[in-house]
Amino acid sequence: MLLLFYWTEAKTRAVYLFVSFFFTFICSYVHIEDILFLLSFHVEYSNQYIYTSMNDVMEIYILVSFLLSVYVLFYSVLISSYLYVHPMLYRREQKKILLNLVFFILFMMFSSFCTIYYIIPKIYQYLISFEKVGNDLYASVQLFANLKTFY
């Protein structure tokens, strides 16, 4: 009987996570322009994108919405998993797992912000250093970010 209770609780949590993924995806797709601005405002020339295909924009919108939904839902899955196993653990195990979970979530958030605000701009500045624009050159090389390769 207890196994059936745990099975229904796990199934209910899975349904909640699927529904929250769906709504997160819809909300991020509705606000995709703001999200793209927030992801690329720290990079030079972030408002100059080129499209090489008609479906590039739609693919990027769906891809960024999906990845953002997975990123947000990852934390929900961790917390939901902890809350699922919490009653089955000893008090000492609960404290250790909670401490590890909190540090893991903080580390993931810190690494994400460092990647977005430090590593990606440095890589972009390095790549843009190859740009050569001038009147005295035989050929001018100017960087325009293709939206599909940027994300």
Side-chain angles (χ1 to χ4, degrees):
M1 193 67 179
L2 193 58
L3 184 63
L4 183 64
F5 172 73
Y6 288 136
W7 175 252
T8 54
E9 183 180 356
K11 193 168 53 170
T12 305
R13 287 184 187 272
V15 167
Y16 288 154
L17 289 173
F18 179 74
V19 169
S20 66
F21 175 79
F22 178 73
F23 283 122
T24 306
F25 180 80
I26 297 298
C27 289
S28 63
Y29 188 78
V30 168
H31 299 288
I32 193 67
E33 295 292 329
D34 300 327
I35 293 168
L36 287 175
F37 173 76
L38 289 175
L39 288 175
S40 64
F41 78 93
H42 56 278
V43 177
E44 285 184 68
Y45 308 112
S46 62
N47 59 354
Q48 298 177 359
Y49 297 115
I50 60 170
Y51 307 110
T52 57
S53 175
M54 292 300 285
N55 59 352
D56 276 354
V57 179
M58 187 68 168
E59 286 178 15
I60 290 299
Y61 282 10
I62 291 174
L63 179 70
V64 170
S65 298
F66 176 77
L67 292 177
L68 186 69
S69 300
V70 168
Y71 182 77
V72 169
L73 196 68
F74 178 72
Y75 299 111
S76 301
V77 167
L78 287 177
I79 293 169
S80 181
S81 300
Y82 173 74
L83 292 176
Y84 178 71
V85 298
H86 177 77
M88 297 179 258
L89 300 173
Y90 293 114
R91 193 170 309 277
R92 182 189 61 208
E93 292 172 335
Q94 291 173 355
K95 289 180 183 177
K96 285 184 179 180
I97 290 176
L98 182 62
L99 184 65
N100 288 335
L101 184 68
V102 167
F103 279 129
F104 181 72
I105 289 175
L106 289 175
F107 176 74
M108 288 294 293
M109 290 179 150
F110 177 73
S111 64
S112 299
F113 288 124
C114 284
T115 302
I116 290 173
Y117 293 109
Y118 183 72
I119 295 173
I120 290 177
K122 293 294 182 190
I123 292 172
Y124 194 79
Q125 287 174 358
Y126 172 73
L127 293 175
I128 207 166
S129 68
F130 294 111
E131 183 177 60
K132 296 178 180 157
V133 179
N135 294 333
D136 58 343
L137 298 172
Y138 293 116
S140 177
V141 179
Q142 187 173 6
L143 174 68
F144 285 105
N146 186 349
L147 189 60
K148 194 168 186 176
T149 58
F150 188 69
Y151 292 101

